[in-house]
Amino acid sequence: MVTSAPENSQNRADALPKSWDPSAVEEALYQGWVDAGYFEADPASDKPGYSIVLPPPNVTGSLHMGHALDHTLMDALTRRKRMQGYEVLWLPGMDHAGIATQTVVEKQLAADGKTKEDLGRERFIEKVWDWKRESGGTIQGQMRRIGDGVDWSRDRFTMDDGLSRAVQTIFKRMYDDGLIYRAERLVNWSPVLQTAISDIEVKFEEVEGELVSLRYGSLNDDEPHVIVATTRVETMLGDTAVAVHPDDERYKHLLGTTLEHPITGRQIPVIADEYVDPEFGTGAVKITPAHDPNDFEMGLRHNLPMPTIMDKTGKIADSGTRFDGMDRFEARVAIRKELAEQGRVVAEKRPYLHSVGHSERSGETIEPRLSMQWWVKVESLAKAAGDAVRGGDMVIHPQSQEPRWFDWIDNMHDWCISRQLWWGHRIPIWYGPDGEVACFGPDETAPEGWEQDPDVLDTWFSSGLWPFSTMGWPAKTPELDKFYPTSVLVTGYDILFFWVARMMMFGTYVSGDEALDGGEGGKVPFKDLFLHGLVRDQFGKKMSKSRGNGIDPLDWVDRFGADALRFTLARGANPGSDLAVGEDHAQSSRNFANKLFNATKFALMNGAVIGELPARDALTDADRWILDRLEQVRADVDAAFDRYEFSKACETLYHFAWDEVCDWYLELAKVQLAEGSVHADGTKTVLGTVLDALLRLLHPVIPFVTETLWKVLTGGESVVIADWPAAAGVAADADSSRRIGDLQKLVTEIRRFRSDQGLKPSQKVAARLANIDAAQLDAQVPAVQSLARLTSPEEGFSASASIEVRLSRATVTVELDTSGTIDIGAEIARLRKDLAAAEKELAGTTAKLGNEAFLSKAPAPVVEKITGRKQIAEEEIDRITARLKELGQA
């Protein structure tokens, strides 16, 4: 520890600017950390390893509030562990984002009147790489802006040669193990992108549609017929059955018979299946196996034909009807019109609100479509991923998220991994001229004349390998030996099922791999899984472009500083819970940084030093109290960080710094630092000790202001590599704590009484403290007088008002002479004005809380806030009314 001399205190204070201006220092501070190599991990180090891999953002993306939360929490964890003596690896990188990136480049080509087919596959891929080099990675600069302490020397990309080798290696192993297969199954199909897409890229929206009830079979009521309802009339061209519940007496006479299809004339059977709900609609449903997921499963159970009646662009095709060539929505109208002309439209319900899947990338309605694709057989992989949590190899925080994990992982369907794109990892399957099919690994070459499968892999396939592929797998590397499995994965609960599940399946699958033998267990890719909630606006609403309530985190960095952004997010981050943030929160966090800055500057100007503390018995009650509080705060913050309770850690530090250090100890220190005080030297050391530890405890969350202050306070190289505060090993002094608690209560009550009397905060008043010795606070009289703006009574003192304050050991009577200090008329006018404002506030809050329409829509935090305002207004009215009575204004 660097010891700073008192005589240098003014010079050190002058080293700080007049006020805290984040924009003036953040960029240079961050670059200094990078240049010094503080964030670079050494796998040969003797320190215990701690590692986090950054969830790779899309190369096309930019930082949003969800990213900012993720990054803030990961940075806080890694900075703390580095200070605790761990060899820390926080590994950054980006995802190639197959669909998103290809779409961006295709739009650029379209602007020039070209398509990817005009270029051909090879030239198009070169074009994408050019775009990546020139325009991709915007998010990296933004990560630097918020202070991400990542090891940039290990930055990875999912299309790197090394990661591509990992993809080909694991694909071949799984293919050879029978875990990857090709089959015709139902997928989410994007007619615009002309590819299968994953579930996470499908966004369901409530849309106004039309529910049409159709008559199948005879138009004669005395002959066999059924009525079914559908919102997708066009899919009836692919109907191969009508289904009813096996116990539905209304249709038992039709089971085993066939009905004529109204358009195609095919005879389709009436089948029984327990999936059908006899209470919904007419209890009969049409079955289109190739265009509906539930119908597909029913088609498999009953061995039904599965004709695909739409092509890749969403047009009717191969139906054998006059509707071939029509767009699906155009066909919907035309087919309904023909059915109406036949007299088969029994009823129409318009508008009919229902949930419809849309492509996140292109916005169009997703088409469930039967398609030949590559699949991962997940049963054994999902079981291993589930067992890893059940066996404690991976721990989910908060534990309340475990049921969601098991519900998903225990009921997972086979995973479609092929995409009909050009940008991505091409599937390493080759087809020979005589129908041969073979998978070739990274060190193998396909025979001449063989052709590779045109599809690429789902982006989630390569990102699922991220924890170990980024460290060199399948090679045995020092990084895998030191840092794998990773320590924790930090991510939002909303992608628990997509990315996390896939990483767990791959991680458990390769757990016995020779390259991972050096890992600690190696059964899972991460030992802890911390799931945080979503960032919402200040009213608890989900942020979205359509609502216009999104917040650009870089805007907050520009206006309030990176520390303010980070502290706002971390302060609201409870495990598994969403957090609501608004500009007021960011401003509050900026004010907190200013408070720390001003407090440290004050301490430096008053001689705060870093050195060995005096013996405990040589310290004042205030000194012992603040050191004991520091020790308790350190323990509480450590416990909170260890449980991933970032909000609790931040709240603890905020209130300690603001309420106890700044509002109380600094004020008490002023008395103890007074000229000639025997306690001055000890207080200077305590002041330096407390601020040193406080800045180190806060550094993981607010690194910029703490770095600036800590270096000047201590003369140290950087707080980034400073030691994390250790336990003091000294028993707390209960007596000092009690006496300071009594002092705080006494001062607070005097201040409240002064305010009620209308005294200005700066106005000094003569007062006598009766029974102060019985309360064991006689040594605190100078502090009470200073903090409560009191003076000692002079000869002839006559009290005009008094209050009694009950403390732990005795009741102290405070007698004050307020004569001549108050303008009674002005005070009455002020009180009446305040009373009117309080009554208006009470009326407004009462009206809102009595409005059932408001209560049914308002988020709980908003209602809670208004309830609190109402209570405060009621208390104010009581207080002001009582004071007016004292002044004869009943």
Side-chain angles (χ1 to χ4, degrees), residues 823-837:
D823 181 335
I824 300 297
E827 176 65 4
I828 291 172
R830 181 186 69 82
L831 290 169
R832 289 197 181 283
K833 182 179 179 181
D834 290 348
L835 180 62

mmCIF file with all atom_site columns, all heavy atoms in Angstrom, residues 823-837:
data_model
loop_
_atom_site.group_PDB
_atom_site.id
_atom_site.type_symbol
_atom_site.label_atom_id
_atom_site.label_alt_id
_atom_site.label_comp_id
_atom_site.label_asym_id
_atom_site.label_entity_id
_atom_site.label_seq_id
_atom_site.pdbx_PDB_ins_code
_atom_site.Cartn_x
_atom_site.Cartn_y
_atom_site.Cartn_z
_atom_site.occupancy
_atom_site.B_iso_or_equiv
_atom_site.pdbx_formal_charge
_atom_site.auth_seq_id
_atom_site.auth_comp_id
_atom_site.auth_asym_id
_atom_site.auth_atom_id
_atom_site.pdbx_PDB_model_num
ATOM 1   N N   . ASP A 1 823 ? -39.639 35.454 11.749 1.00 0.00 ? 823 ASP A N   1
ATOM 2   C CA  . ASP A 1 823 ? -40.662 36.413 11.337 1.00 0.00 ? 823 ASP A CA  1
ATOM 3   C C   . ASP A 1 823 ? -41.986 35.650 11.332 1.00 0.00 ? 823 ASP A C   1
ATOM 4   O O   . ASP A 1 823 ? -42.270 34.877 10.415 1.00 0.00 ? 823 ASP A O   1
ATOM 5   C CB  . ASP A 1 823 ? -40.331 36.956 9.948  1.00 0.00 ? 823 ASP A CB  1
ATOM 6   C CG  . ASP A 1 823 ? -41.339 37.985 9.459  1.00 0.00 ? 823 ASP A CG  1
ATOM 7   O OD1 . ASP A 1 823 ? -42.497 37.948 9.918  1.00 0.00 ? 823 ASP A OD1 1
ATOM 8   O OD2 . ASP A 1 823 ? -40.971 38.812 8.602  1.00 0.00 ? 823 ASP A OD2 1
ATOM 9   N N   . ILE A 1 824 ? -42.806 35.872 12.381 1.00 0.00 ? 824 ILE A N   1
ATOM 10  C CA  . ILE A 1 824 ? -44.013 35.064 12.568 1.00 0.00 ? 824 ILE A CA  1
ATOM 11  C C   . ILE A 1 824 ? -44.944 35.174 11.367 1.00 0.00 ? 824 ILE A C   1
ATOM 12  O O   . ILE A 1 824 ? -45.473 34.171 10.872 1.00 0.00 ? 824 ILE A O   1
ATOM 13  C CB  . ILE A 1 824 ? -44.757 35.484 13.852 1.00 0.00 ? 824 ILE A CB  1
ATOM 14  C CG1 . ILE A 1 824 ? -43.857 35.295 15.074 1.00 0.00 ? 824 ILE A CG1 1
ATOM 15  C CG2 . ILE A 1 824 ? -46.046 34.671 14.003 1.00 0.00 ? 824 ILE A CG2 1
ATOM 16  C CD1 . ILE A 1 824 ? -43.460 33.868 15.312 1.00 0.00 ? 824 ILE A CD1 1
ATOM 17  N N   . GLY A 1 825 ? -45.150 36.380 10.861 1.00 0.00 ? 825 GLY A N   1
ATOM 18  C CA  . GLY A 1 825 ? -46.066 36.562 9.728  1.00 0.00 ? 825 GLY A CA  1
ATOM 19  C C   . GLY A 1 825 ? -45.590 35.823 8.490  1.00 0.00 ? 825 GLY A C   1
ATOM 20  O O   . GLY A 1 825 ? -46.365 35.152 7.806  1.00 0.00 ? 825 GLY A O   1
ATOM 21  N N   . ALA A 1 826 ? -44.280 35.964 8.231  1.00 0.00 ? 826 ALA A N   1
ATOM 22  C CA  . ALA A 1 826 ? -43.725 35.269 7.049  1.00 0.00 ? 826 ALA A CA  1
ATOM 23  C C   . ALA A 1 826 ? -43.784 33.768 7.222  1.00 0.00 ? 826 ALA A C   1
ATOM 24  O O   . ALA A 1 826 ? -44.044 33.015 6.265  1.00 0.00 ? 826 ALA A O   1
ATOM 25  C CB  . ALA A 1 826 ? -42.283 35.728 6.824  1.00 0.00 ? 826 ALA A CB  1
ATOM 26  N N   . GLU A 1 827 ? -43.567 33.291 8.448  1.00 0.00 ? 827 GLU A N   1
ATOM 27  C CA  . GLU A 1 827 ? -43.598 31.855 8.699  1.00 0.00 ? 827 GLU A CA  1
ATOM 28  C C   . GLU A 1 827 ? -44.998 31.299 8.492  1.00 0.00 ? 827 GLU A C   1
ATOM 29  O O   . GLU A 1 827 ? -45.182 30.227 7.913  1.00 0.00 ? 827 GLU A O   1
ATOM 30  C CB  . GLU A 1 827 ? -43.105 31.571 10.125 1.00 0.00 ? 827 GLU A CB  1
ATOM 31  C CG  . GLU A 1 827 ? -43.167 30.113 10.547 1.00 0.00 ? 827 GLU A CG  1
ATOM 32  C CD  . GLU A 1 827 ? -42.249 29.221 9.738  1.00 0.00 ? 827 GLU A CD  1
ATOM 33  O OE1 . GLU A 1 827 ? -41.482 29.728 8.886  1.00 0.00 ? 827 GLU A OE1 1
ATOM 34  O OE2 . GLU A 1 827 ? -42.309 27.995 9.945  1.00 0.00 ? 827 GLU A OE2 1
ATOM 35  N N   . ILE A 1 828 ? -46.031 32.056 8.968  1.00 0.00 ? 828 ILE A N   1
ATOM 36  C CA  . ILE A 1 828 ? -47.415 31.611 8.782  1.00 0.00 ? 828 ILE A CA  1
ATOM 37  C C   . ILE A 1 828 ? -47.753 31.547 7.293  1.00 0.00 ? 828 ILE A C   1
ATOM 38  O O   . ILE A 1 828 ? -48.369 30.587 6.810  1.00 0.00 ? 828 ILE A O   1
ATOM 39  C CB  . ILE A 1 828 ? -48.381 32.546 9.535  1.00 0.00 ? 828 ILE A CB  1
ATOM 40  C CG1 . ILE A 1 828 ? -48.215 32.365 11.054 1.00 0.00 ? 828 ILE A CG1 1
ATOM 41  C CG2 . ILE A 1 828 ? -49.833 32.281 9.124  1.00 0.00 ? 828 ILE A CG2 1
ATOM 42  C CD1 . ILE A 1 828 ? -48.984 33.365 11.875 1.00 0.00 ? 828 ILE A CD1 1
ATOM 43  N N   . ALA A 1 829 ? -47.335 32.552 6.542  1.00 0.00 ? 829 ALA A N   1
ATOM 44  C CA  . ALA A 1 829 ? -47.597 32.567 5.095  1.00 0.00 ? 829 ALA A CA  1
ATOM 45  C C   . ALA A 1 829 ? -46.921 31.386 4.407  1.00 0.00 ? 829 ALA A C   1
ATOM 46  O O   . ALA A 1 829 ? -47.506 30.733 3.528  1.00 0.00 ? 829 ALA A O   1
ATOM 47  C CB  . ALA A 1 829 ? -47.107 33.887 4.491  1.00 0.00 ? 829 ALA A CB  1
ATOM 48  N N   . ARG A 1 830 ? -45.677 31.103 4.803  1.00 0.00 ? 830 ARG A N   1
ATOM 49  C CA  . ARG A 1 830 ? -44.958 29.970 4.208  1.00 0.00 ? 830 ARG A CA  1
ATOM 50  C C   . ARG A 1 830 ? -45.663 28.659 4.510  1.00 0.00 ? 830 ARG A C   1
ATOM 51  O O   . ARG A 1 830 ? -45.827 27.803 3.626  1.00 0.00 ? 830 ARG A O   1
ATOM 52  C CB  . ARG A 1 830 ? -43.526 29.932 4.731  1.00 0.00 ? 830 ARG A CB  1
ATOM 53  C CG  . ARG A 1 830 ? -42.670 28.811 4.151  1.00 0.00 ? 830 ARG A CG  1
ATOM 54  C CD  . ARG A 1 830 ? -41.304 28.738 4.812  1.00 0.00 ? 830 ARG A CD  1
ATOM 55  N NE  . ARG A 1 830 ? -41.399 28.279 6.189  1.00 0.00 ? 830 ARG A NE  1
ATOM 56  C CZ  . ARG A 1 830 ? -41.497 26.975 6.533  1.00 0.00 ? 830 ARG A CZ  1
ATOM 57  N NH1 . ARG A 1 830 ? -41.524 26.039 5.596  1.00 0.00 ? 830 ARG A NH1 1
ATOM 58  N NH2 . ARG A 1 830 ? -41.555 26.630 7.802  1.00 0.00 ? 830 ARG A NH2 1
ATOM 59  N N   . LEU A 1 831 ? -46.078 28.500 5.759  1.00 0.00 ? 831 LEU A N   1
ATOM 60  C CA  . LEU A 1 831 ? -46.740 27.249 6.158  1.00 0.00 ? 831 LEU A CA  1
ATOM 61  C C   . LEU A 1 831 ? -48.057 27.066 5.420  1.00 0.00 ? 831 LEU A C   1
ATOM 62  O O   . LEU A 1 831 ? -48.401 25.955 5.014  1.00 0.00 ? 831 LEU A O   1
ATOM 63  C CB  . LEU A 1 831 ? -46.968 27.240 7.675  1.00 0.00 ? 831 LEU A CB  1
ATOM 64  C CG  . LEU A 1 831 ? -45.703 27.094 8.529  1.00 0.00 ? 831 LEU A CG  1
ATOM 65  C CD1 . LEU A 1 831 ? -46.019 27.366 9.993  1.00 0.00 ? 831 LEU A CD1 1
ATOM 66  C CD2 . LEU A 1 831 ? -45.105 25.702 8.371  1.00 0.00 ? 831 LEU A CD2 1
ATOM 67  N N   . ARG A 1 832 ? -48.833 28.163 5.256  1.00 0.00 ? 832 ARG A N   1
ATOM 68  C CA  . ARG A 1 832 ? -50.110 28.033 4.546  1.00 0.00 ? 832 ARG A CA  1
ATOM 69  C C   . ARG A 1 832 ? -49.882 27.648 3.075  1.00 0.00 ? 832 ARG A C   1
ATOM 70  O O   . ARG A 1 832 ? -50.652 26.866 2.500  1.00 0.00 ? 832 ARG A O   1
ATOM 71  C CB  . ARG A 1 832 ? -50.883 29.344 4.629  1.00 0.00 ? 832 ARG A CB  1
ATOM 72  C CG  . ARG A 1 832 ? -51.421 29.631 6.034  1.00 0.00 ? 832 ARG A CG  1
ATOM 73  C CD  . ARG A 1 832 ? -52.515 30.695 6.009  1.00 0.00 ? 832 ARG A CD  1
ATOM 74  N NE  . ARG A 1 832 ? -53.019 30.982 7.326  1.00 0.00 ? 832 ARG A NE  1
ATOM 75  C CZ  . ARG A 1 832 ? -53.877 30.193 7.988  1.00 0.00 ? 832 ARG A CZ  1
ATOM 76  N NH1 . ARG A 1 832 ? -54.317 29.071 7.443  1.00 0.00 ? 832 ARG A NH1 1
ATOM 77  N NH2 . ARG A 1 832 ? -54.299 30.537 9.186  1.00 0.00 ? 832 ARG A NH2 1
ATOM 78  N N   . LYS A 1 833 ? -48.840 28.184 2.479  1.00 0.00 ? 833 LYS A N   1
ATOM 79  C CA  . LYS A 1 833 ? -48.511 27.822 1.097  1.00 0.00 ? 833 LYS A CA  1
ATOM 80  C C   . LYS A 1 833 ? -48.130 26.352 1.005  1.00 0.00 ? 833 LYS A C   1
ATOM 81  O O   . LYS A 1 833 ? -48.578 25.630 0.089  1.00 0.00 ? 833 LYS A O   1
ATOM 82  C CB  . LYS A 1 833 ? -47.364 28.702 0.599  1.00 0.00 ? 833 LYS A CB  1
ATOM 83  C CG  . LYS A 1 833 ? -46.973 28.444 -0.855 1.00 0.00 ? 833 LYS A CG  1
ATOM 84  C CD  . LYS A 1 833 ? -45.847 29.380 -1.279 1.00 0.00 ? 833 LYS A CD  1
ATOM 85  C CE  . LYS A 1 833 ? -45.451 29.102 -2.735 1.00 0.00 ? 833 LYS A CE  1
ATOM 86  N NZ  . LYS A 1 833 ? -44.328 29.995 -3.161 1.00 0.00 ? 833 LYS A NZ  1
ATOM 87  N N   . ASP A 1 834 ? -47.305 25.894 1.948  1.00 0.00 ? 834 ASP A N   1
ATOM 88  C CA  . ASP A 1 834 ? -46.909 24.484 1.963  1.00 0.00 ? 834 ASP A CA  1
ATOM 89  C C   . ASP A 1 834 ? -48.108 23.579 2.215  1.00 0.00 ? 834 ASP A C   1
ATOM 90  O O   . ASP A 1 834 ? -48.210 22.480 1.651  1.00 0.00 ? 834 ASP A O   1
ATOM 91  C CB  . ASP A 1 834 ? -45.851 24.247 3.048  1.00 0.00 ? 834 ASP A CB  1
ATOM 92  C CG  . ASP A 1 834 ? -44.517 24.895 2.701  1.00 0.00 ? 834 ASP A CG  1
ATOM 93  O OD1 . ASP A 1 834 ? -44.343 25.316 1.543  1.00 0.00 ? 834 ASP A OD1 1
ATOM 94  O OD2 . ASP A 1 834 ? -43.653 24.970 3.600  1.00 0.00 ? 834 ASP A OD2 1
ATOM 95  N N   . LEU A 1 835 ? -49.042 24.040 3.074  1.00 0.00 ? 835 LEU A N   1
ATOM 96  C CA  . LEU A 1 835 ? -50.232 23.240 3.376  1.00 0.00 ? 835 LEU A CA  1
ATOM 97  C C   . LEU A 1 835 ? -51.098 23.084 2.131  1.00 0.00 ? 835 LEU A C   1
ATOM 98  O O   . LEU A 1 835 ? -51.608 21.988 1.848  1.00 0.00 ? 835 LEU A O   1
ATOM 99  C CB  . LEU A 1 835 ? -51.031 23.903 4.500  1.00 0.00 ? 835 LEU A CB  1
ATOM 100 C CG  . LEU A 1 835 ? -52.315 23.169 4.930  1.00 0.00 ? 835 LEU A CG  1
ATOM 101 C CD1 . LEU A 1 835 ? -51.982 21.782 5.471  1.00 0.00 ? 835 LEU A CD1 1
ATOM 102 C CD2 . LEU A 1 835 ? -53.073 23.991 5.982  1.00 0.00 ? 835 LEU A CD2 1
ATOM 103 N N   . ALA A 1 836 ? -51.254 24.166 1.379  1.00 0.00 ? 836 ALA A N   1
ATOM 104 C CA  . ALA A 1 836 ? -52.057 24.095 0.151  1.00 0.00 ? 836 ALA A CA  1
ATOM 105 C C   . ALA A 1 836 ? -51.451 23.119 -0.850 1.00 0.00 ? 836 ALA A C   1
ATOM 106 O O   . ALA A 1 836 ? -52.159 22.332 -1.501 1.00 0.00 ? 836 ALA A O   1
ATOM 107 C CB  . ALA A 1 836 ? -52.178 25.483 -0.472 1.00 0.00 ? 836 ALA A CB  1
ATOM 108 N N   . ALA A 1 837 ? -50.112 23.140 -0.971 1.00 0.00 ? 837 ALA A N   1
ATOM 109 C CA  . ALA A 1 837 ? -49.436 22.224 -1.900 1.00 0.00 ? 837 ALA A CA  1
ATOM 110 C C   . ALA A 1 837 ? -49.611 20.775 -1.455 1.00 0.00 ? 837 ALA A C   1
ATOM 111 O O   . ALA A 1 837 ? -49.845 19.880 -2.289 1.00 0.00 ? 837 ALA A O   1
ATOM 112 C CB  . ALA A 1 837 ? -47.955 22.581 -1.989 1.00 0.00 ? 837 ALA A CB  1
#
